[in-house]
Amino acid sequence: MARPSETQTQLLLRSKARVINRMKEFDAWVSLPFLSLLSVELGVLRKSAIRRHGATRWKYGTNFSKGIFSNPDVVDIHPELLNDQWRDYLDFVMYHEFIHCMGFKNHDSDFRSLESLWGFDFGRAKQFSEHLSFVRAKYVWKCPNCENKYPRSRRSNGRYLCRDCKTILIDEEN
Ligand SMILES: [Zn+2]
Ligand SMILES: [Zn+2]
């Protein structure tokens, strides 16, 4: 976990408000005390995080009960999600973590049915993962023929071919 800047905090709070407002529209949430989510503290994951896009942290020994607010320490969100182009995915990750906060600890069928209310295109999650690999890569292996790009941590030194057109890839610093 890293400390969010003032700007990051503002963006996180705006997403939280959007998500809670939308939760009010879902019948499945009406009878549950989800307004407790207003008290959840928000933070950011390390910039270098690659696999996790959000995480909820609890105090040791927290008891979980589905539909009961679990009072977590903090919900951490990937800082790269705070760029405007990822706003839709930011809100979805926030919503996903909020379901955890409401006592649904595991990704079981109850969790997934609440999650599916949001109507999210999972292709966006994959795009974000790809975006993170680009942000992190030291080199981009470029295909001079078809514009394909492959983010990598080391040089290809002329040893690799483009997956699609079999042209030798060229190294560029990222
Ligand atoms: Zn989860
Ligand atoms: Zn190619």
Side-chain angles (χ1 to χ4, degrees):
M1 180 204 170
R3 248 184 99 81
S5 69
E6 191 54 41
T7 313
Q8 287 175 326
T9 300
Q10 287 311 314
L11 293 167
L12 289 165
L13 287 174
R14 263 179 244 162
S15 172
K16 181 205 249 187
R18 284 194 300 271
V19 172
I20 291 176
N21 271 329
R22 186 148 180 228
M23 286 172 78
K24 292 175 186 163
E25 297 168 13
F26 300 134
D27 287 344
W29 286 108
V30 166
S31 59
L32 301 174
F34 68 92
L35 290 178
S36 306
L37 293 166
L38 287 164
S39 69
V40 170
E41 200 165 315
L42 301 171
V44 284
L45 293 170
R46 285 200 185 83
K47 234 181 125 118
S48 58
I50 203 113
R51 264 179 226 98
R52 310 194 80 174
H53 302 162
T56 301
R57 327 265 184 202
W58 289 277
K59 289 162 199 71
Y60 181 76
T62 296
N63 284 316
F64 293 91
S65 180
K66 288 177 179 180
I68 304 292
F69 183 59
S70 65
N71 196 22
D73 269 346
V74 65
V75 167
D76 286 333
I77 299 289
H78 201 294
E80 200 61 36
L81 279 175
L82 300 175
N83 295 326
D84 211 40
Q85 55 165 323
W86 299 109
R87 182 197 281 212
D88 60 318
Y89 186 41
L90 163 67
D91 287 358
F92 176 75
V93 170
M94 187 74 74
Y95 178 61
H96 176 106
E97 297 308 326
F98 280 179
I99 302 172
H100 284 308
C101 294
M102 288 304 296
F104 297 86
K105 193 178 182 212
N106 305 310
H107 298 147
D108 60 11
S109 58
D110 291 334
F111 184 100
R112 292 300 181 196
S113 102
L114 288 166
E115 187 185 51
S116 68
L117 297 173
W118 198 264
F120 181 70
D121 166 16
F122 281 89
R124 287 290 281 159
K126 194 169 169 256
Q127 282 170 20
F128 183 68
S129 294
E130 281 163 10
H131 170 74
L132 289 183
S133 340
F134 270 100
V135 169
R136 231 171 83 117
K138 275 174 96 171
Y139 300 98
V140 176
W141 303 356
K142 281 191 179 153
C143 174
N145 185 46
C146 76
E147 311 281 288
N148 273 348
K149 292 174 185 177
Y150 306 86
R152 293 291 185 274
S153 56
R154 56 192 176 86
R155 293 178 172 278
S156 69
N157 291 324
R159 287 170 302 176
Y160 294 91
L161 303 179
C162 173
R163 232 175 260 151
D164 295 332
C165 72
K166 311 300 174 201
T167 304
I168 294 175
L169 298 172
I170 293 169
D171 295 333
E172 254 181 42
E173 290 203 16
N174 193 21

